[in-house]
Amino acid sequence: MASGDTKIPVNVITGFLGSGKTTLLRRLLASPRLANTAVLINEFGEVGLDHLLLERLDEETVVLQSGCVCCTIRGDLVTAVRDLFFRRESGIIPAFDRLAVETTGLADPAPIVFTFMADPVIRHHFRLGNTIATVDAVNGPLHLDQNPESVKQVLVADRIALTKTDICDGEQTAAIKARLARLNPAAPLVETAAGDFDPEDLLAADLHDPARKNEEVRRWLAGAEALADPQGEAGHSHRRLDVNRHSARIHAICVTHERPLDWTAFGIWLTMLLNRHGENVLRVKGILNVLDAPTPVVIHGVQHLIHPPVHLDRWPDGDRRSRIVFIVRDLDRATLERSLAAFNCLAEAGSEAA
Amino acid sequence: MCGLCGVVGAEDHWTDAAATSRIVGGAGAGRTRRQERLRRVAIGNKILAHYGLKLSDWQGSAYILRNRTGRQEIVPHLAALWPAAEALAGRPCDPLDPDVIAAMSQSG
């Protein structure tokens, strides 16, 4: 089995119709450091891609018995990725070192994430890297208001690429940036029209890159700190009053726990929470101070799909509390904190008895 | 699949990372995989008692969940535990339920 470091990273490029996914992909692939990337796309759009390793996907889904949308296997993706891998191994195609999957504008990215984590062949050879969502600065607010898929794409993203800022005014740009930061504070935002972004930073800087993972965690913690600021939260609350907008019910919260967490109790708590509230817990990203572990543990997931935990070599800052950023619909921070604390004290009593 | 009992091996679950010393706790925590499973059963039972359920380890490879009427189900890992618990208890198992939080805080 390939270890975490030798698996081929996969980048999912998502974004609403016409938000500039293909244009972004073309610019990313032009970077010499990312030239050895295989690309799977859902549809040939107006913007042509001229790339050596380009394959087309036909959307075909297999819904698993649970009937949950995020636990859907994309049959087309399984076939395409397995086929690509076998041809790579047989030397029929060059040994690509990265795979980019461009979704359709209306796609929910969660089944793609699930497919890479669940398929027994794929998960042993590939690992998920950053998911990038493109958001159009001009039409983005309308997409977010009217299409739940657009909101979901932003929530699942590890990076947000804001496009078309060159054709809208500063006020519009500031408004959409504030809205995106509220929806997903853990995802750094890049304005691609400015042209001075680092393609590697978008695609390659992730939790599996030993040189960058601490910096990556520091970034989402900075987003979490903004949430913990009471003034910031008060500032956001007026937007939540608009309940007619479905995205108004979605917000990010940062759950903190002062004492070291018991890993066993935490696992029981999070699986129980995600089983009952998985539909309303859209995203989880956290750094944990685990009892008896000298260094922090990072967890991240989309709905009830949690990735294998990652160990950091050192704490990214002076704060030793466990901090978990949740993007939720209709759940509140205080209840989550109380619940986590109650489960953790259960473990403390349990370990004395054991 | 186990040739003797016909049980399909479960997929790795993220919570099982506790058994891998390089990821979580591990050497520092001084627990083997088996000890970790027994501990998970012990803590799990404190919560499941609230729903009239009992969990036990089964051959170090799965868990058995039982209710008071004797109905039982084999579950491979924690993620599969909760849907089974809700089915056997006949009600939702919600960690955010104020009654559950109060009960857990007291038993802690």
Side-chain angles (χ1 to χ4, degrees):
Chain A
M1 188 177 107
S3 78
D5 299 323
T6 56
K7 290 180 185 180
I8 303 164
V10 181
N11 295 111
V12 178
I13 320 276
T14 185
F16 208 68
L17 300 165
S19 61
K21 291 185 291 296
T22 313
T23 308
L24 175 68
L25 195 53
R26 195 169 55 174
R27 286 177 63 184
L28 294 175
L29 296 175
S31 158
R33 285 167 300 178
L34 299 169
N36 202 14
T37 300
V39 184
L40 286 171
I41 60 170
N42 257 119
E43 55 210 348
F44 288 109
E46 287 170 21
V47 184
L49 261 184
D50 181 20
H51 191 68
L52 185 63
L53 282 166
L54 186 68
E55 306 263 338
R56 186 174 181 277
L57 283 167
D58 288 304
E59 199 159 350
E60 167 209 321
T61 57
V62 181
V63 181
L64 299 186
Q65 258 185 340
S66 70
C68 165
V69 181
C70 63
C71 296
T72 309
I73 294 267
R74 286 279 303 270
D76 55 340
L77 191 62
V78 170
T79 312
V81 175
R82 283 186 178 197
D83 183 55
L84 212 52
F85 183 73
F86 291 136
R87 283 190 288 151
R88 176 189 190 268
E89 293 300 284
S90 328
I92 300 169
I93 56 172
F96 57 88
D97 52 24
R98 178 172 295 277
L99 172 65
V101 180
E102 183 190 336
T103 72
T104 64
L106 288 170
D108 176 347
I112 297 178
V113 173
F114 181 68
T115 303
F116 277 98
M117 286 171 69
D119 183 83
V121 175
I122 293 176
R123 72 194 181 100
H124 284 144
H125 299 293
F126 293 85
R127 65 163 184 84
L128 279 164
N130 286 341
T131 294
I132 299 141
T134 52
V135 178
D136 166 351
V138 181
N139 298 310
L142 193 69
H143 296 156
L144 290 170
D145 282 343
Q146 297 183 345
N147 302 88
E149 297 87 356
S150 175
V151 176
K152 188 80 182 280
Q153 289 164 352
V154 170
L155 300 182
V156 169
D158 299 297
R159 294 282 187 277
I160 296 173
L162 188 63
T163 61
K164 306 187 188 178
T165 47
D166 51 337
I167 53 168
C168 67
D169 61 42
E171 208 170 298
Q172 276 177 301
T173 308
I176 183 94
K177 280 169 90 167
R179 190 163 172 192
L180 294 169
R182 186 174 66 90
L183 276 175
N184 189 348
L189 185 142
V190 174
E191 284 183 47
T192 57
D196 56 357
F197 64 92
D198 175 7
E200 268 205 61
D201 185 49
L202 275 184
L203 291 183
D206 63 30
L207 281 176
H208 294 272
D209 180 343
R212 298 195 188 214
K213 64 183 178 183
N214 274 35
E215 183 195 338
E216 183 60 20
V217 173
R218 246 197 309 272
R219 275 187 194 167
W220 4 302
L221 291 176
E225 269 162 28
L227 292 170
D229 168 19
Q231 280 192 328
E233 249 187 306
H236 292 148
S237 62
H238 68 277
R239 294 194 191 97
R240 287 187 210 157
L241 296 176
D242 184 2
V243 290
N244 293 323
R245 267 197 348 219
H246 60 85
S247 66
R249 293 166 54 203
I250 296 171
H251 58 276
I253 50 175
C254 181
V255 168
T256 53
H257 190 79
E258 301 280 341
R259 300 167 66 186
L261 282 170
D262 181 279
W263 178 250
T264 314
F266 178 78
I268 293 174
W269 178 75
L270 190 60
T271 51
M272 190 177 179
L273 177 76
L274 296 178
N275 175 62
R276 181 89 316 255
H277 297 284
E279 279 182 19
N280 294 327
V281 178
L282 302 150
R283 197 73 208 261
V284 183
K285 268 189 172 185
I287 182 165
L288 308 179
N289 182 343
V290 175
L291 199 67
D292 296 327
T295 48
V297 175
V298 172
I299 52 146
H300 65 129
V302 174
Q303 292 194 289
H304 53 249
L305 313 173
I306 302 289
H307 295 268
V310 178
H311 203 208
L312 292 189
D313 302 332
R314 58 182 189 278
W315 282 89
D317 55 23
D319 194 344
R320 296 288 182 271
R321 294 173 304 166
S322 297
R323 284 157 287 170
I324 314 166
V325 182
F326 284 95
I327 301 177
V328 292
R329 189 190 288 121
D330 300 335
L331 295 177
D332 80 283
R333 192 190 73 216
T335 314
L336 282 165
E337 282 182 349
R338 269 202 306 277
S339 175
L340 175 61
F343 275 64
N344 204 49
C345 48
L346 209 58
E348 285 165 12
S351 56
E352 284 156 22
Chain B
M1 180 181 289
C2 168
L4 291 174
C5 54
V7 172
V8 181
E11 298 290 326
D12 291 340
H13 189 249
W14 66 271
T15 50
D16 290 325
T20 317
S21 60
R22 71 189 169 84
I23 308 249
V24 181
R31 285 197 292 272
T32 62
R33 179 177 171 278
R34 200 64 193 256
Q35 285 171 325
E36 176 61 29
R37 289 178 69 86
L38 292 175
R39 195 159 180 279
R40 194 179 285 166
V41 167
I43 298 173
N45 272 330
K46 293 189 174 192
I47 301 149
L48 292 162
H50 188 76
Y51 301 96
L53 301 172
K54 196 163 170 47
L55 187 69
S56 50
D57 184 42
W58 187 70
Q59 306 284 335
S61 64
Y63 301 94
I64 299 181
L65 185 65
R66 294 183 176 88
N67 70 4
R68 285 181 186 143
T69 64
R71 274 183 64 200
Q72 59 182 39
E73 198 159 318
I74 296 176
V75 289
H77 47 62
L78 281 183
L81 168 67
W82 299 110
E86 293 191 341
L88 288 181
R91 61 186 169 118
C93 298
D94 184 358
L96 304 182
D97 176 349
D99 292 343
V100 174
I101 296 177
M104 297 308 116
S105 306
Q106 277 168 14
S107 47

